[in-house]
Amino acid sequence: MKSSHSTAAIKATDLACGYDGVPIMEHLNFAITPGEIFFIIGGSGCGKSTLLRHLIGLQPAIHGDIEVFGESFVQATTDRRRELLKTFGVLYQGSALWSSLTLEENIMLPLEEYTDLSKKDRERVACLKLAQVGLTGFADYYPSEISGGMKKRAGLARALALDPSIVFFDEPSAGLDPITSRELDELIQQVSAEQGTTCVIVSHELASIFSIGSRVILLEKEARTIIAEGPPKDLAVNSDDPRVQQFLHRGDIAPTR
């Protein structure tokens, strides 16, 4: 469900995020370009996952607006919001696969909910999506029968089931070894390059951020807002904010001045 819009894939305007009317972050303003790999980064407890929940509609905005290809997601009717949700795919941190279903059946779930495809066509799409993430031959496997990295791939296959314009990732490298994490990064790059998919990734993993990130926004817990935005390598080299330098220069991964 690719969009031909040239406007921002996602635009947040004076957005306040939180729970029960109590903001965790305020005055969030950013725009995500169609087709880019955009990271939401920051330390633990800064609100990365909370922001993600707002962007995918699991949590209502306290204030401000979120636009999807120029259309307000916040002000949309229930029916229209459901239509907009069809343009989203989500890879949750734990992959969120149903343990009682095979990989094929997991991928078919969004197809059953959002399309009128026949069972045969749903099976065909599931097979294609498994092939896309390198899991050909694993359709009849259950989540308990595959590795952690394969579960991430299967979760991505399900996220791609509806050919979404935007795919959201919540800490995709969590629990993965460095090699498997790099393979997942390469798969994300492949999906973005080949399909023009916009990828929005919540992460604190510097290796992934510097390797595949087009741009980032850096959230800071005490400031309760965005303290930096831009290409991660440029921020690591050129930012004069000590908070930005402290976050991006953990370990020996960041580029130096």
Side-chain angles (χ1 to χ4, degrees), residues 72-90:
S72 175
F73 188 70
V74 172
Q75 299 176 22
T77 64
T78 300
D79 288 343
R80 182 55 187 156
R81 191 172 296 169
R82 178 179 170 84
E83 290 300 310
L84 290 172
L85 286 173
K86 294 181 183 180
T87 68
F88 294 173
V90 184

Side-chain angles (χ1 to χ4, degrees), residues 19-233:
Y19 302 94
D20 299 323
V22 180
I24 294 175
M25 294 163 294
E26 297 180 281
H27 310 302
L28 302 181
N29 294 280
F30 61 90
I32 303 174
T33 302
E36 76 174 330
I37 300 176
F38 185 91
F39 275 78
I40 300 169
I41 67 176
S44 298
C46 69
K48 301 186 299 295
S49 292
T50 296
L51 174 55
L52 182 67
R53 289 178 60 86
H54 284 71
L55 294 180
I56 63 178
L58 291 179
Q59 195 70 26
I62 294 174
H63 184 268
D65 197 14
I66 299 167
E67 294 180 13
V68 179
F69 293 108
E71 184 173 353
S72 175
F73 188 70
V74 172
Q75 299 176 22
T77 64
T78 300
D79 288 343
R80 182 55 187 156
R81 191 172 296 169
R82 178 179 170 84
E83 290 300 310
L84 290 172
L85 286 173
K86 294 181 183 180
T87 68
F88 294 173
V90 184
L91 176 58
Y92 295 97
Q93 184 170 333
S95 299
L97 298 171
W98 290 93
S99 60
S100 60
L101 301 179
T102 65
L103 301 190
E104 179 183 67
E105 290 168 340
N106 268 280
I107 296 168
M108 288 169 61
L109 282 176
L111 298 170
E112 293 173 8
E113 181 174 358
Y114 288 106
T115 76
D116 296 323
L117 292 175
S118 67
K119 182 179 180 182
K120 182 177 181 180
D121 285 340
R122 293 197 303 269
E123 290 172 347
R124 179 182 57 81
V125 172
C127 182
L128 289 172
K129 295 307 175 183
L130 285 170
Q132 185 177 352
V133 300
L135 289 177
T136 298
F138 288 89
D140 294 330
Y141 280 63
Y142 288 88
S144 61
E145 298 175 319
I146 58 177
S147 68
M150 293 169 74
K151 288 178 184 176
K152 295 281 187 176
R153 287 174 175 266
L156 180 55
R158 186 179 61 187
L160 295 172
L162 296 172
D163 290 329
S165 297
I166 307 170
V167 178
F168 299 90
F169 301 79
D170 188 8
E171 299 284 4
S173 299
L176 301 182
D177 62 81
I179 294 176
T180 305
S181 178
R182 178 56 191 163
E183 291 174 346
L184 183 60
D185 286 346
E186 291 172 351
L187 183 56
I188 293 171
Q189 278 185 309
Q190 179 182 327
V191 168
S192 177
E194 294 182 356
Q195 298 183 232
T197 306
T198 305
C199 298
V200 182
I201 305 171
V202 166
S203 181
H204 66 277
E205 298 288 345
L206 291 181
S208 296
I209 292 166
F210 287 119
S211 176
I212 67 173
S214 306
R215 286 189 306 124
V216 304
I217 52 172
L218 175 57
L219 304 179
E220 207 274 326
K221 185 176 182 179
E222 297 302 322
R224 301 203 313 169
T225 194
I226 298 168
I227 62 168
E229 178 179 351
K233 293 179 182 178

